[in-house]
Amino acid sequence: MALLEIKNLHVSVGDREILKGINLSLNGGEVHAVMGPNGTGKSTLSNVIAGRAGYDVTQGEVLLDGKDVFAMAADERARAGIFLAFQYPVEIPGVSTSSFLKTAINAKRRAAGQKEIDAMEFLKLVKAKTKALGMADDMIKRPLNVGFSGGEKKRAEVLQMTLLEPRVAILDETDSGLDIDALKVVSDGVNALRREDRAFLVITHYQRLLDYIVPDHVHVLVNGRIAASGGKELALELEAEGYAKYQGAAA
Amino acid sequence: MKRAPGLMDHPFGADYAQRTLAPADKHLAGFREQARAVFEPHGLPGPKNESWRFTPLRSLAKVPFIPADAADDVDVSAVPPGVVSLPGSARIVLVNGVYRRDLSDAIEGVEIFGLQGADRNLLGHLATAASAPLAALNASFMTGALALRVNGAVPATLHLISIAAAGNQPVAFHPRLLISLAPGASLTLVETHCGLPGQATFANPVTEITLGEDAHLRRYVQVAEQDDSFHLATTAVALAANSRMEGFHLGLGGALVRQEVNVVMRGTAAALELHGAYALGGHDHHDFTTSVNHHVPGCTSSQVFKGVVDGESHGVYQGRIHVARDAQKTDARQQHKALFLGRGPQIDCKPELEIYADDVQCAHGAATGEIDADHMFFLAARGIDPATARMLLVEAFLADAVERISDETVRAAFGRDIQGWLSRRNLKAAA
Ligand SMILES: Nc1ncnc2c1ncn2[C@@H]1O[C@H](COP(=O)(O)OP(=O)(O)OP(=O)(O)O)[C@@H](O)[C@H]1O
Ligand SMILES: [Mg+2]
């Protein structure tokens, strides 16, 4: 059984259909890349899987370990192991990054019947992970994402992923806004998490990311449909030729 | 004494006066008589009184209060366990407004007087009967006063705990607190106003605060009355040159609570910080009314009030800033923001700026909103359940005000009180 199974997924906003029958199957250990022009539904797909309100699922299903994801609230999905690294992480004034991280870690622990993380253990853990991601020590004292630069926000997303150890991680353009060095650091962070029982869905516009996080499969999402799938060489082809041929086919 | 027609009936008439303890001395007797002559014809302020438009007193007026001294079945032998404990602080405990030496600590650097010893000139010099109807009510029935005179720097935080307790009948009390800081003196004062379960209580305190030149007062007031109890407090403050006052007022419930603070700048370069936070649910009503009067040049005042409202509660903020013609180089700011946790609550906000000087910086802002759905989704996407997420966001909203408390211990203690309020209230219900 696939870890995450997306079957014939149709999603509308208002009376406009945005996803028009998506099929994707992610097995443990795999990295799938999704590429596609602006506005074709990549973030919609990630939001719907993570449980954001405002989308109508008109057909299809998403299964995590065979279980119906749409039957779960967003917070339950996260605790079950779905993680979305946001394309645009929100700023939350007044909530310190560290108390947010601790709350999130404890939510997961409680759901798993474990005891809460103790203060020392938490500090040690966070310190090690922030260091690995090249983040400043005092970052976690600041309000969540407030005043973080674009790259800092993306690193913070990866930090959260690292701490929450998801089963399925969806990275929505985590590479955009990162400088060349940061791209490497963040990719190393992701690669370190690759495991037999974990899968990644990596949304990106740039082939460069896929030099670092080497995908097993690449999918082209155009106009709400998967127009093509292939190996990592498909990304190189897209980089060279653009989406014209798929857009033509879809029109 | 004659009553104006159309006056709201209320329990503070002749019977009440008769049952009130006789004045301790002639000075007080005269003071009370004068105040009653002001109170009696007007009674409690009604909806036509502009300052009381949003805070109707009908529910208060209906309760058959007796003076607390007349209730012989009140027995309080300890501070209630829920009262915040502030490490290193010295306690002054009042029960129904009466100083309880047996429950209080001795305090270094502070002289505590009854009215006898107090500087008589301080009584009623700032909170006059004519200036506010609730100050008139207080002056009409006060049985004594507590005066704190501070001459130097007081090392310990003073924690004044005022406990309201009724016997078989609802009780009212009218305490008067006189605080004076000599030039250069400093004090940190925390006030906890709470009540015991039982019959309704009505606390009607008046506090008069005088700061000498270069004096520094930090006053942190928390009001957490019982659900059926009343608390209408008036504070009047006079600031001398270069003095600094930091006030923070926390409102965590009560049937009807008003914290009114009137400040007058009397010397140049005085600085006022006056902030507050409230969290209301059920049928709580809480009113912050402030009046900051810049009479002299070069003073600053800053106010940040934030509130969350749930259930059918009602929050009020009225902020008046008056800058006199001569008060050039004034910097006066005020802000009120409220967060709705449901559709039932009500907020009334009335900023009032009267500026007669031209070279000044004044700003005011007011906003209301709801919890941001994007914030909720972000937290949910990290596995945080809606009730916990809401708690985090509400705390964060109030933090903007609470973080202005410069005393770390008090800031943490008030933060914990807010957390306690949030976890008691089942915020899940609002989901
Ligand atoms: N809540 C919404 N209301 C209205 N339209 C929406 C909403 N969410 C998405 N859309 C529309 O759906 C389409 C797909 O948006 P989506 O954000 O999924 O694109 P994307 O593939 O992630 O694009 P990009 O590469 O620019 O991030 C867009 O035309 C967008 O305007
Ligand atoms: Mg997108």
Side-chain angles (χ1 to χ4, degrees):
Chain A
M1 183 173 50
L3 191 44
L4 190 78
E5 186 88 49
I6 303 168
K7 289 189 196 165
N8 189 32
L9 183 63
H10 289 254
V11 173
S12 303
V13 173
D15 46 17
R16 182 170 156 217
E17 185 164 57
I18 295 169
L19 299 182
K20 301 166 183 167
I22 303 282
N23 291 288
L24 272 181
S25 184
L26 278 67
N27 294 306
E30 290 178 349
V31 173
H32 291 240
V34 173
M35 303 182 78
N38 292 129
T40 51
K42 301 182 297 298
S43 293
T44 301
L45 176 64
S46 16
N47 284 330
V48 166
I49 297 172
R52 186 193 281 271
Y55 301 95
D56 296 325
V57 176
T58 52
Q59 266 189 72
E61 57 183 356
V62 175
L63 306 172
L64 176 70
D65 289 323
K67 279 190 301 242
D68 179 10
V69 162
F70 296 143
M72 297 184 241
D75 57 309
E76 293 172 306
R77 297 182 199 185
R79 291 194 300 272
I82 290 177
F83 182 92
L84 168 60
F86 287 83
Q87 181 174 2
Y88 305 108
V90 296
E91 304 192 354
I92 309 190
V95 174
S96 83
T97 304
S98 77
S99 75
F100 157 72
L101 291 174
K102 200 189 273 174
T103 309
I105 289 173
N106 283 333
K108 187 178 171 228
R109 288 198 171 205
R110 263 199 312 277
Q114 296 164 338
K115 70 173 186 2
E116 300 201 344
I117 190 163
D118 81 51
M120 286 306 292
E121 190 190 343
F122 171 76
L123 281 178
K124 242 174 79 183
L125 180 68
V126 171
K127 202 162 182 175
K129 305 294 186 193
T130 47
K131 198 170 164 211
L133 288 168
M135 296 170 71
D137 265 358
D138 64 354
M139 195 92 112
I140 68 157
K141 292 185 192 145
R142 289 166 56 182
L144 184 60
N145 290 328
V146 178
F148 287 21
S149 74
E152 286 168 344
K153 283 180 184 163
K154 296 305 176 80
R155 286 183 212 224
E157 293 292 286
V158 176
L159 172 67
Q160 291 157 40
M161 175 173 73
T162 308
L163 292 170
L164 294 174
E165 303 177 324
R167 314 237 18 238
V168 175
I170 305 167
L171 307 181
D172 192 355
E173 296 196 26
T174 301
D175 55 333
S176 64
L178 292 179
D179 67 39
I180 297 159
D181 295 335
L183 187 64
K184 175 135 191 6
V185 171
V186 164
S187 303
D188 287 346
V190 172
N191 287 330
L193 289 176
R194 291 183 72 157
R195 281 178 22 171
E196 273 314 297
D197 58 355
R198 182 173 289 144
F200 290 85
L201 188 67
V202 178
I203 295 167
T204 183
H205 285 296
Y206 306 106
Q207 194 277 329
R208 176 193 288 274
L209 175 72
L210 305 179
D211 285 341
Y212 295 114
I213 305 172
V214 181
D216 303 291
H217 302 276
V218 175
H219 310 279
V220 186
L221 183 63
V222 177
N223 286 331
R225 292 192 179 90
I226 306 275
S229 295
K232 61 174 190 273
E233 64 291 342
L234 180 54
L236 288 166
E237 183 196 313
L238 290 171
E239 181 95 346
E241 297 172 18
Y243 297 110
K245 93 178 185 207
Y246 302 105
Q247 276 167 323
Chain B
M1 282 176 249
K2 275 190 75 159
R3 280 178 45 164
L7 211 61
M8 184 180 358
D9 278 330
H10 62 75
F12 309 106
D15 278 359
Y16 190 89
Q18 214 150 52
R19 301 187 73 172
T20 300
L21 219 59
D25 66 10
K26 256 174 47 198
H27 179 82
L28 182 54
F31 181 74
R32 260 168 53 166
E33 239 168 76
Q34 281 175 20
R36 273 200 78 201
V38 176
F39 175 73
E40 198 80 349
H42 303 287
L44 293 172
K48 294 222 174 81
N49 183 324
E50 187 56 26
S51 168
W52 290 87
R53 199 150 62 93
F54 301 123
T55 297
L57 298 182
R58 284 184 304 274
S59 57
L60 170 84
K62 278 190 212 136
V63 183
F65 290 109
I66 60 165
D69 334 278
D72 50 16
D73 53 354
V74 174
D75 180 23
V76 177
S77 55
V79 171
V83 169
V84 56
S85 146
L86 299 167
S89 70
R91 285 182 163 187
I92 297 177
V93 178
L94 310 181
V95 174
N96 291 341
V98 178
Y99 177 53
R100 286 281 296 267
R101 192 177 298 277
D102 59 323
L103 301 177
S104 304
D105 300 321
I107 298 147
E108 204 184 311
V110 182
E111 296 172 79
I112 301 178
F113 299 95
L115 188 62
Q116 313 282 348
D119 184 353
R120 284 255 160 75
N121 299 329
L122 289 182
L123 179 61
H125 78 305
L126 293 173
T128 59
S131 68
L134 271 290
L137 177 64
N138 170 283
S140 299
F141 300 110
M142 60 180 290
T143 53
L146 188 72
L148 304 181
R149 196 185 294 162
V150 184
N151 291 315
V154 182
T157 294
L158 234 63
H159 188 187
L160 186 142
I161 299 165
S162 175
I163 305 162
N168 287 320
Q169 284 183 79
V171 301
F173 55 100
H174 314 272
R176 174 81 55 148
L177 182 63
L178 306 172
I179 300 172
S180 60
L181 270 62
S186 64
L187 174 70
T188 300
L189 173 69
V190 179
E191 294 180 25
T192 299
H193 297 267
C194 58
L196 298 176
Q199 291 286 336
T201 58
F202 169 35
N204 169 219
V206 170
T207 304
E208 298 181 86
I209 299 175
T210 315
L211 263 57
E213 288 188 8
D214 292 304
H216 182 199
L217 174 66
R218 299 192 291 184
R219 178 178 183 239
Y220 306 121
V221 181
Q222 54 177 171
V223 177
E225 298 283 2
Q226 298 288 317
D227 288 346
D228 57 355
S229 285
F230 302 83
H231 182 104
L232 303 174
T234 310
T235 297
V237 183
L239 300 179
N242 290 309
S243 65
R244 282 178 298 149
M245 168 146 176
E246 175 190 331
F248 188 91
H249 294 255
L250 179 64
L252 294 179
L256 188 62
V257 177
R258 168 145 153 158
Q259 303 196 57
E260 178 175 335
V261 182
N262 304 313
V263 182
V264 49
M265 314 288 195
R266 289 205 172 144
T268 54
L272 170 72
E273 298 228 19
L274 182 59
H275 309 303
Y278 58 89
L280 311 178
H283 288 92
D284 292 344
H285 179 108
H286 191 287
D287 171 338
F288 276 123
T289 295
T290 68
S291 167
V292 176
N293 299 277
H294 287 264
H295 284 177
V296 294
C299 297
T300 60
S301 66
S302 152
Q303 302 180 59
V304 174
F305 285 86
K306 301 201 88 169
V308 293
V309 284
D310 194 7
E312 308 279 309
S313 63
H314 186 177
V316 178
Y317 173 77
Q318 310 188 94
R320 181 175 165 275
I321 294 176
H322 177 97
V323 181
R325 196 183 310 273
D326 292 340
Q328 303 295 358
K329 306 282 181 203
T330 289
D331 188 323
R333 290 158 201 281
Q334 106 184 177
Q335 193 191 89
H336 173 260
K337 283 190 182 156
L339 187 68
F340 283 81
L341 298 183
R343 291 169 183 275
Q346 184 185 341
I347 290 285
D348 287 293
C349 174
K350 193 178 79 178
E352 233 181 309
L353 272 65
E354 300 165 4
I355 298 164
Y356 299 101
D358 43 26
D359 183 14
V360 299
Q361 299 232 32
C362 290
H364 76 92
T368 58
E370 291 168 25
I371 286 183
D372 189 324
D374 286 342
H375 292 174
M376 285 296 284
F377 177 61
F378 189 91
L379 297 174
R382 298 299 175 253
I384 299 170
D385 66 88
T388 307
R390 220 173 275 121
M391 247 173 90
L392 271 179
L393 294 174
V394 169
E395 261 187 79
F397 177 80
L398 296 179
D400 191 16
V402 175
E403 273 164 10
R404 290 165 203 266
I405 296 176
S406 67
D407 185 289
E408 238 172 86
T409 312
V410 177
R411 187 170 62 237
F414 280 21
R416 279 194 301 276
D417 285 336
I418 290 171
Q419 276 174 358
W421 182 91
L422 288 168
S423 45
R424 273 195 304 282
R425 198 153 291 282
N426 190 353
L427 287 173
K428 270 187 189 132

